[in-house]
Amino acid sequence: MTWDWSAVREFMPHFWDGLWVTLEALALGSLISFSLGLVWTLLMRTPTRWVRWPVGVVTEFVRNTPLLVQLFFLFYVLPEWGLTFSALATGVFAIGLHYSTYTMQVYRAGIEAVPVGQWEAATALSLPARRTWLAVILPQAVRRVVPPLGNYVISMLKDTPILMSITVLEMLGQARLFSQQHFQFTEPVTVIGVAFIVISYLASLLLRTLERRLVR
């Protein structure tokens, strides 16, 4: 087996196209996951059972079914009900929804780790619930949840190739298309593997820097 640098050069424009799609899916999926996960957490802390019960059922169902099944359901089944979205939008939402059920548990642990005295102090000062959460509880909880949330960002990155199954040409999708057209698999797949390693490493460095800043 010989390494063909010309194949690498020919593949690079396709690689950059796939990279931007991958990063877009990762950024938007992370935003949905973090936002929706916090919403699930707050809803599960409400005293109303009729709110907690359906939220618990939905999150358990999503967490315990494969992401690929959820992706196929959103992409192939929803259009039969009149709900049609682009492949990328469907993939982003599927990843965000799936991982929100995991970030939900991270937020829950972070909130429960806030000392009881903080809650008691907010009550003693007669702070309204909104201000208690925004000014006292969530800022302290966020510092505790950055490392595990960062791990899920990297997990989402590694799950982006699954979007290829619904025609989204992210990095691996571009590599597969190029390989099928040019009958060269080694070079594009190797480039993609190295790209995932580099992106994961850079993301971990960024998250460590953010963690150190928040701990100060």
Side-chain angles (χ1 to χ4, degrees), residues 75-91:
F75 190 68
Y76 293 109
V77 177
L78 287 188
E80 296 182 3
W81 298 350
L83 297 173
T84 304
F85 305 95
S86 69
L88 180 58
T90 302

Side-chain angles (χ1 to χ4, degrees), residues 37-50:
L38 182 58
V39 171
W40 295 142
T41 304
L42 297 178
L43 289 177
M44 287 297 290
R45 293 182 65 87
T46 61
T48 306
R49 184 179 128 191
W50 297 110

Side-chain angles (χ1 to χ4, degrees), residues 73-181:
F73 180 86
L74 293 174
F75 190 68
Y76 293 109
V77 177
L78 287 188
E80 296 182 3
W81 298 350
L83 297 173
T84 304
F85 305 95
S86 69
L88 180 58
T90 302
V92 165
F93 180 73
I95 289 177
L97 175 64
H98 185 79
Y99 276 93
S100 71
T101 60
Y102 293 96
T103 59
M104 163 190 171
Q105 299 300 326
V106 174
Y107 284 125
R108 179 189 59 79
I111 291 171
E112 291 180 354
V114 175
V116 177
Q118 298 295 312
W119 295 91
E120 294 174 345
T123 302
L125 293 171
S126 301
L127 294 180
R130 180 185 178 87
R131 189 173 178 189
T132 297
W133 279 103
L134 294 179
V136 179
I137 304 304
L138 289 181
Q140 297 183 65
V142 166
R143 295 190 184 97
R144 294 174 167 85
V145 302
V146 167
L149 287 181
N151 292 335
Y152 283 122
V153 170
I154 296 175
S155 294
M156 280 186 269
L157 170 66
K158 292 188 288 187
D159 271 347
T160 54
I162 204 172
L163 302 184
M164 178 177 58
S165 63
I166 59 169
T167 72
V168 175
L169 291 179
E170 40 65 62
M171 288 195 296
L172 188 60
Q174 290 284 2
R176 180 185 179 188
L177 182 62
F178 180 88
S179 300
Q180 291 173 339
Q181 292 174 342

Side-chain angles (χ1 to χ4, degrees), residues 46-90:
T46 61
T48 306
R49 184 179 128 191
W50 297 110
V51 172
R52 295 197 313 271
W53 185 82
V55 170
V57 170
V58 169
T59 54
E60 282 297 321
F61 176 81
V62 172
R63 185 164 55 245
N64 291 290
T65 53
L67 175 57
L68 184 60
V69 173
Q70 297 165 17
L71 194 61
F72 276 20
F73 180 86
L74 293 174
F75 190 68
Y76 293 109
V77 177
L78 287 188
E80 296 182 3
W81 298 350
L83 297 173
T84 304
F85 305 95
S86 69
L88 180 58
T90 302

